[in-house]
Amino acid sequence: MKKIIIAITGASGVIYGIRLLEALKTMRGCETHLILSPSAKVNIKLETDYKVDEIVALADVVHDYKNQAAAISSGSFKTTGMIIAPCSMKTLSSVVNSYSENLITRAADVILKEQRRLILMPRETPMHQGHCKLVYEASKLGAIICPPVPAFYARPKTMDEMINHTVVRVLDLLDIELEEQSINRWTGI
């Protein structure tokens, strides 16, 4: 059983976390653990037509943002990895500085210390030098930096196609292949 932690923070781009949950819901042998920051709940209302309850229903297990005693706060709870989608600069800064003041940053810290896959999807642009430094430092700690940048070689016709392509590529990083493969992969010229 693959156990994947999905954290949605307050950066713009909550649809990436939502779409990851939707994709993983279709997978057999995959258990999702969701953490929503308070700002994520605000952005869900601002950026999508989803209700928070609908997103919560997509996850197998939902953890309270402030619950430092959750199973995922311990390295002895084995997971495949964690995706923070989107990853706010505040969250990125907390991860880099091991400032585990909430369950998202504690779980990320555990993932790093256990040398599991931590995938960060920062959604800030443009980035100033401080942001760039944080991205660099997170990478040095072992995090995989995967900003949601569309792949135009896939010739997306809709925003959904762009989002789905990014989601599939992120899941590739955890060696998860969706049963319904819905992207155009590069095959050369």
Side-chain angles (χ1 to χ4, degrees):
M1 170 75 63
K2 291 190 178 203
K3 295 178 183 174
I4 312 296
I5 302 167
I6 304 288
I8 303 176
T9 71
S12 183
V14 294
I15 191 64
Y16 291 104
I18 296 166
R19 199 60 57 81
L20 280 160
L21 287 166
E22 289 174 335
L24 291 169
K25 186 83 171 165
T26 68
M27 297 290 299
R28 280 180 253 120
C30 192
E31 180 180 280
T32 55
H33 290 256
L34 173 64
I35 316 162
L36 290 169
S37 76
S39 296
K41 292 176 182 179
V42 171
N43 278 1
I44 288 165
K45 292 175 187 168
L46 291 173
E47 296 181 357
T48 75
D49 293 328
Y50 289 89
K51 301 219 179 325
V52 171
D53 290 345
E54 293 172 315
I55 295 161
V56 164
L58 293 170
D60 295 303
V61 181
V62 180
H63 300 279
D64 184 85
Y65 176 74
K66 288 291 185 183
N67 183 7
Q68 294 278 11
I72 59 175
S73 69
S74 173
S76 67
F77 185 80
K78 292 195 71 164
T79 62
T80 303
M82 179 175 185
I83 305 165
I84 303 179
C87 182
S88 67
M89 284 298 138
K90 175 184 175 184
T91 301
L92 178 60
S93 179
S94 294
V95 168
V96 167
N97 291 290
S98 302
Y99 183 61
S100 301
E101 59 108 20
N102 61 59
L103 185 57
I104 292 174
T105 52
R106 172 59 187 164
D109 196 49
V110 166
I111 293 293
L112 289 173
K113 81 178 184 67
E114 297 295 329
Q115 298 183 0
R116 298 178 187 143
R117 296 261 167 145
L118 174 62
I119 301 162
L120 306 176
M121 296 180 71
R123 242 294 302 128
E124 187 71 50
T125 187
M127 289 188 184
H128 59 63
Q129 194 173 33
H131 296 152
C132 294
K133 182 179 176 188
L134 289 171
V135 167
Y136 173 71
E137 292 297 327
S139 177
K140 281 179 44 180
L141 290 172
I144 299 168
I145 311 301
C146 188
V149 178
F152 291 104
Y153 65 81
R155 301 246 179 168
K157 295 179 182 37
T158 67
M159 191 168 317
D160 275 344
E161 287 179 6
M162 287 192 292
I163 294 165
N164 291 341
H165 191 276
T166 299
V167 164
V168 169
R169 295 291 290 128
V170 167
L171 292 175
D172 284 348
L173 296 170
L174 292 174
D175 200 28
I176 295 174
E177 193 163 331
L178 296 177
E179 292 162 6
E180 293 180 21
Q181 194 72 7
S182 60
I183 68 164
N184 294 325
R185 292 188 182 271
W186 181 252
T187 59
I189 299 175

